[in-house]
Amino acid sequence: MQKIAKFVLEKYRKYSEFLIQHAVYSFYPQCSKNLDYCSIRTENSSMITQKHIIDDEIISFDEIDDAETAQVFLQEKLEQVSNELQSDSVDSKELGKLGETYAALRLMQQGWHVIDRNWHSRQGELDLVMITPEQKLVFVEVKTRRSVRCGTPLEAINQDKRNKLRKAGMQWIEKFGTDIPRYRIRFDAVSILVINKYTYSDSACMIQALEEIDNNSNIQFTHIPGAF
Amino acid sequence: MSIGNALSVGLIGLKAFTIKLQAFMSGNMPNFSIIGLPDTSLSEARERVKSAHHALHCKWPEGRVTVNLSPASMPKSGSSYDLAIAASILSAEKYIPLSELENTVILGELNLDGTVLPIQGMLPIALYAKKKHFKRMIIPQENLAEAQLVEGIETIGIHHIYDLVTELHGTLQEESLKLIEEDPVYKHMQVLERNGQDNTNSEHSEILEDQSASPLQVNSKYEIGDMCEVIGQEHTKWALQVAAAGGHHVMMIGPPGSGKTMLASRIPSIMCPLNEQEQLEVASIRSLCGTLPYYGISDIPPFEAPHHTALAASLIGGGTGVAKPGIITRAHCGVLFMDEAPEFSPRVLQTLREPLESGHIAISRSKGTTLYPAKFQLVIAANPCPCGYAYGNGERCTCKERERARYFSRLSGPILDRIDIQMDVPPVERIVIPNQNNQVHGPNKEASTTLTSEMMRNNVTEARQVARTRFSKQGWDCNAQASGTWLRKYTSKQAVGLINRALEKHQLSLRGADRALRLAWTLADLSGHSSPDMTDMPQAISLRTRI
């Protein structure tokens, strides 16, 4: 098991292909060995995977040994990102990027793994490709907004956009995991609304929206499983 | 994931049915759908409700909102469910307690700024709500007067969607409340409401009410002329009085300018006033057509005069989906006057046959069959020929014989068969200048010369009463409904003998003889005879001049 984990780790640096293999392995419950590895991954290997996903793109950290420290670490990172999100100086491109990171961290806290980020094809871009604890491959579309002047973030994911994302997702699967059974593939939507005084034109709505957020930040995080 | 409920009442034709609304909210992609066979105008309620919800300064629920209108198989249309849809959503959001919505019918159209607009067909809906023992109704303020005609149900009129929340003891956030209070639209509504209350409270309220506040009870004086305004034509007036007393259909044939239209338009003023049941029926139809605020509840029978280019659909009712009432339904309990009847297309005239017989009309369209009442008195006016001058010796007439024949052939057959009184209206020979005696209103002197509508109406009412008591066992209302067998059985032998003689001389056709007998009974009622005697019979025959 340790061996496999190491293998994954090494291969992952070269990006993608084998990582997908890892994902695909975990899809097959009959491969009990691999499944075992996946189910206990919260402790070691998965965190390693996570580490490197984050390592490459956002975070640099040295050692994560167990799940608890991982959670603590994620929490710290989350706070940092959310602070950055709330600053006014962020431009819209950065906002999108930060929003994606924020979404990834929030989902990781629930035991998800990032497999791929910002994968481009001609059809469109996949924001996040993740694996859930239930061994599902999920394409996550993250939409970040600071104002609802042009509609809520989720409203921006219209039918056109959905069609494009589905096509892009299918291409990703064709490329990296043709043997993934279709019932294990899902498309999720995540809406991130950074609430400031310009978000709603109506102050009553703002208060209402802020009340609905459980952790006392100004970021409304809505995750819709199987959105389209 | 929450469910909200509301109740409303829908109409198909004049038939009302309960609609249960349920709103379902779930965390999903944002979407708002209304299901339960809505038509386009009902689907557009989504935008109205969404915008009106915003007028409450509450956040529109994120995620999926589905509103179902059950029974889902019944086609629904119109904007009268807007308020109920909003109420169901508000209750799903827990702004309105669910218990408050039980047994409460909510009706009204919403505008984008949250104001509540009046709907059509309030009266039949209120009648239905009372029959079904609903506790209360929340309706647009403008419909309040109409709904309050129905007693025994609590009616609440509202101006603004926020009134709905307060009436149902709903709770909004403090910030929202503050903003609503500042809302210019809502402020304006409150001013309106206060004015309305002031009017009813202040001393001179009655005057104000007469003028504007409650148009329903008072405004019964929409213009109907008086019979005494028609110069001459005493014979025709008398004939119309007979028609009104017996409920007979009338055909008037006369040259242009002889006063047929004038006379016909005054028939409602001499007809027996509508009883309560009839008034409600007429008002319900008007409510459905949206003309009730103009006419108000009145005991004057309606009068409808379609133009001769009218199509079948406009006459009997029609339209896509569910049929809307036509002119014959609006003439229910009143007069349908068809001027220049031979100019109507024959197909249109033929559509009148069934309603003339049955007193109602069933119209089937793609989304269902609607049954409308259509118990009207038909009055037909026609010229003697296309040019109009074939009366007397006919020397002014320029029509060819064939044209003349074709002109009347359109009217022949089944329609004429149902018209009891068929008479000529002669041209007026001279303009009678009302002399001094007539201008000074001396009822005693006038009575002998000119009949006023009121006098004729009294005669008619008495005669109707006699007929009604006579036919109380059979359940007929007037002589026109009586069966021929009954009439022949109870008419005296002498009177029948007179008719037989007229038949022998070919003054009457067989059909005409039957009709004359019927008319004789009405004449007997008018003159106070218990059954037609030797004086009534010739008069009856004289009302069938056109065989």
Side-chain angles (χ1 to χ4, degrees):
Chain A
M1 252 164 31
Q2 287 296 325
K3 214 174 173 184
I4 296 170
K6 233 171 193 174
F7 198 39
V8 168
L9 167 74
E10 278 165 22
K11 283 288 174 186
Y12 182 70
R13 289 194 184 278
K14 290 180 181 172
Y15 201 63
S16 218
E17 202 89 43
F18 194 81
L19 184 80
I20 307 316
Q21 286 298 314
H22 147 76
V24 173
Y25 278 132
S26 64
F27 280 128
Y28 295 122
Q30 65 267 35
C31 300
S32 54
K33 232 182 190 175
N34 289 327
L35 188 72
D36 255 357
Y37 156 69
C38 284
S39 60
I40 53 161
R41 73 196 173 280
T42 31
E43 261 139 54
N44 282 316
S45 48
S46 73
M47 277 326 297
I48 295 165
T49 337
Q50 282 183 4
K51 174 186 158 186
H52 288 284
I53 280 284
I54 298 164
D55 206 359
D56 281 344
E57 320 246 3
I58 330 150
I59 317 163
S60 60
F61 59 104
D62 303 326
E63 282 182 6
I64 296 175
D65 297 331
D66 57 276
E68 270 172 46
T69 45
Q71 286 292 342
V72 170
F73 184 81
L74 281 174
Q75 189 59 41
E76 271 173 25
K77 204 68 208 162
L78 199 64
E79 271 161 30
Q80 187 193 329
V81 174
S82 77
N83 282 339
E84 277 177 49
L85 262 177
Q86 285 171 52
S87 77
D88 283 344
S89 56
V90 183
D91 72 11
S92 62
K93 223 171 189 178
E94 285 173 48
L95 185 84
K97 208 81 185 156
L98 281 171
E100 280 165 26
T101 311
Y102 184 83
L105 290 168
R106 281 290 287 260
L107 292 172
M108 279 168 151
Q109 282 184 328
Q110 296 167 29
W112 295 38
H113 310 262
V114 178
I115 287 186
D116 209 342
R117 264 191 82 160
N118 299 105
W119 185 82
H120 292 270
S121 88
R122 189 176 286 177
Q123 303 294 337
E125 186 188 357
L126 295 170
D127 288 343
L128 292 167
V129 184
M130 298 183 91
I131 296 181
T132 68
E134 300 91 42
Q135 320 289 317
K136 284 196 175 181
L137 182 72
V138 180
F139 300 100
V140 185
E141 170 67 16
V142 185
K143 207 79 199 166
T144 318
R145 285 266 168 104
R146 269 181 297 202
S147 160
V148 294
R149 204 177 55 236
C150 306
T152 62
L154 286 177
E155 273 167 3
I157 308 174
N158 54 19
Q159 199 55 52
D160 252 27
K161 180 92 181 159
R162 291 179 204 182
N163 290 345
K164 274 186 187 167
L165 285 169
R166 287 199 81 91
K167 272 185 197 157
M170 287 306 133
Q171 279 177 341
W172 191 93
I173 287 166
E174 259 170 43
K175 204 161 178 190
F176 302 116
T178 38
D179 47 355
I180 299 171
R182 292 299 152 102
Y183 63 89
R184 289 215 154 150
I185 298 167
R186 207 171 73 186
F187 288 82
D188 284 13
V190 165
S191 126
I192 293 168
L193 190 63
V194 185
I195 298 172
N196 54 29
K197 60 186 168 183
Y198 306 112
T199 304
Y200 292 98
S201 55
D202 203 319
S203 61
C205 288
M206 193 183 94
I207 292 172
Q208 214 176 323
L210 284 176
E211 272 176 15
E212 280 168 16
I213 301 172
D214 33 15
N215 59 356
N216 43 27
S217 68
N218 283 348
I219 297 170
Q220 188 193 57
F221 173 87
T222 318
H223 171 221
I224 293 169
F228 50 95
Chain B
M1 303 258 181
S2 50
I3 298 267
N5 283 316
L7 277 175
S8 192
V9 175
L11 275 181
I12 289 187
L14 282 173
K15 208 175 119 246
F17 56 95
T18 317
I19 291 180
K20 288 192 184 107
L21 290 99
Q22 281 201 328
F24 169 67
M25 279 170 28
S26 67
N28 209 329
M29 291 300 271
N31 189 14
F32 181 19
S33 56
I34 294 174
I35 55 172
L37 282 188
D39 73 343
T40 319
S41 62
L42 185 49
S43 296
E44 282 167 353
R46 288 181 303 183
E47 299 302 321
R48 289 191 293 269
V49 170
K50 221 170 177 171
S51 178
H53 189 278
H54 200 78
L56 282 175
H57 296 278
C58 294
K59 210 154 63 71
W60 181 256
E62 277 167 32
R64 173 182 283 274
V65 179
T66 311
V67 177
N68 182 33
L69 282 73
S70 62
S73 58
M74 200 93 90
K76 293 161 208 78
S77 73
S79 51
S80 62
Y81 311 118
D82 291 1
L83 203 59
I85 292 169
S88 67
I89 291 170
L90 286 170
S91 72
E93 288 177 286
K94 307 280 185 281
Y95 289 129
I96 297 176
L98 268 176
S99 56
E100 286 286 335
L101 285 159
E102 276 170 24
N103 235 334
T104 303
V105 175
I106 300 171
L107 291 154
E109 180 182 332
L110 277 173
N111 209 344
L112 297 181
D113 57 2
T115 47
V116 178
L117 302 176
I119 60 164
Q120 291 187 353
M122 192 68 233
L123 190 64
I125 290 173
L127 286 170
Y128 174 82
K130 190 201 166 188
K131 204 175 82 189
K132 290 282 170 181
H133 304 292
F134 286 116
K135 200 176 77 192
R136 63 178 165 181
M137 293 171 72
I138 296 181
I139 54 171
Q141 181 73 32
E142 276 122 297
N143 285 120
L144 190 63
E146 201 176 320
Q148 277 174 345
L149 295 171
V150 181
E151 283 168 7
I153 182 162
E154 187 191 346
T155 44
I156 302 166
I158 60 171
H159 287 290
H160 193 268
I161 187 170
Y162 179 58
D163 296 338
L164 176 79
V165 180
T166 47
E167 287 296 343
L168 295 171
H169 307 291
T171 43
L172 295 181
Q173 284 183 332
E174 277 175 33
E175 183 74 14
S176 312
L177 293 179
K178 214 164 68 190
L179 284 171
I180 291 166
E181 296 295 333
E182 287 166 13
D183 198 328
V185 178
Y186 184 67
K187 264 185 192 168
H188 178 64
M189 287 297 149
Q190 275 189 321
V191 170
L192 275 184
E193 198 172 349
R194 221 170 293 140
N195 285 350
Q197 280 173 359
D198 285 350
N199 283 354
T200 46
N201 291 339
S202 66
E203 286 177 14
H204 51 272
S205 62
E206 281 174 24
I207 304 160
L208 273 172
E209 256 177 41
D210 278 0
Q211 282 168 352
S212 60
S214 106
L216 289 177
Q217 296 287 5
V218 199
N219 184 15
S220 57
K221 294 278 179 208
Y222 58 93
E223 286 308 307
I224 288 187
D226 196 289
M227 274 290 182
C228 65
E229 291 160 9
V230 186
I231 297 166
Q233 304 290 18
E234 294 306 320
H235 179 76
T236 320
K237 284 186 201 169
W238 166 76
L240 290 179
Q241 183 182 323
V242 175
H248 306 289
H249 303 303
V250 187
M251 178 160 80
M252 294 188 284
I253 294 162
S258 54
K260 301 180 297 291
T261 312
M262 253 186 122
L263 283 163
S265 67
R266 282 159 178 76
I267 293 177
S269 71
I270 63 166
M271 277 170 79
C272 184
L274 301 177
N275 64 29
E276 225 160 83
Q277 178 62 32
E278 286 168 335
Q279 280 180 34
L280 273 183
E281 280 174 26
V282 170
S284 295
I285 293 164
R286 282 177 176 163
S287 173
L288 193 65
C289 301
T291 54
L292 189 60
Y294 172 66
Y295 289 106
I297 293 251
S298 82
D299 57 356
I300 300 174
F303 176 80
E304 292 292 336
H307 190 253
H308 62 248
T309 53
L311 298 176
S314 74
L315 209 62
I316 62 163
T320 50
V322 173
K324 293 183 176 62
I327 288 173
I328 60 165
T329 303
R330 277 187 267 157
H332 179 60
C333 295
V335 176
L336 178 72
F337 175 53
M338 299 177 88
D339 208 354
E340 314 297 347
E343 301 288 350
F344 279 85
S345 89
R347 210 176 72 87
V348 172
L349 282 171
Q350 293 308 312
T351 56
L352 292 181
R353 282 164 60 177
E354 293 94 338
L356 273 175
E357 198 63 47
S358 60
H360 55 76
I361 177 87
I363 315 161
S364 295
R365 287 292 183 270
S366 60
K367 284 184 179 164
T369 303
T370 37
L371 189 78
Y372 287 114
K375 204 178 74 199
F376 56 91
Q377 198 168 340
L378 184 64
V379 177
I380 280 179
N383 288 335
C385 68
C387 81
Y389 294 105
Y391 60 90
N393 56 12
E395 55 190 5
R396 274 181 76 192
C397 179
T398 55
C399 303
K400 292 186 183 110
E401 191 56 47
R402 194 202 280 166
E403 281 174 7
R404 235 178 284 176
R406 205 168 56 195
Y407 189 62
F408 269 99
S409 67
R410 290 182 167 182
L411 278 180
S412 67
I415 293 284
L416 283 190
D417 194 27
R418 292 177 173 85
I419 297 175
D420 294 351
I421 300 177
Q422 300 180 8
M423 60 181 171
D424 281 317
V425 182
V428 183
E429 238 78 84
R430 61 202 166 112
I431 294 177
V432 187
I433 299 160
N435 54 28
Q436 293 289 325
N437 287 350
N438 276 3
Q439 273 185 344
V440 177
H441 280 282
N444 298 334
K445 283 177 187 172
E446 209 180 9
S448 57
T449 51
T450 323
L451 281 167
T452 63
S453 284
E454 205 182 330
M455 292 151 64
M456 290 166 86
R457 189 178 210 176
N458 290 340
N459 293 345
V460 167
T461 316
E462 277 169 33
R464 271 272 169 125
Q465 202 49 51
V466 172
R468 208 167 285 153
T469 43
R470 179 173 62 231
F471 294 134
S472 57
K473 246 184 231 167
Q474 285 84 355
W476 298 325
D477 218 25
C478 56
N479 289 323
Q481 291 170 358
S483 75
T485 339
W486 189 96
L487 291 170
R488 279 191 290 277
K489 192 176 165 191
Y490 287 93
T491 314
S492 66
K493 280 216 175 99
Q494 277 178 313
V496 175
L498 260 178
I499 287 193
N500 281 339
R501 219 165 302 146
L503 259 176
E504 278 161 23
K505 287 185 193 165
H506 299 287
Q507 282 174 339
L508 283 175
S509 64
L510 194 62
R511 185 200 291 158
D514 192 48
R515 300 285 147 176
L517 197 61
R518 195 177 295 268
L519 287 171
W521 275 93
T522 308
L523 286 162
D525 291 342
L526 275 170
S527 51
H529 304 148
S530 60
S531 76
D533 63 12
M534 300 309 279
T535 53
D536 297 325
M537 233 49 226
Q539 285 179 338
I541 293 167
S542 79
L543 287 172
R544 294 289 305 193
T545 48
R546 290 196 76 91
I547 299 189

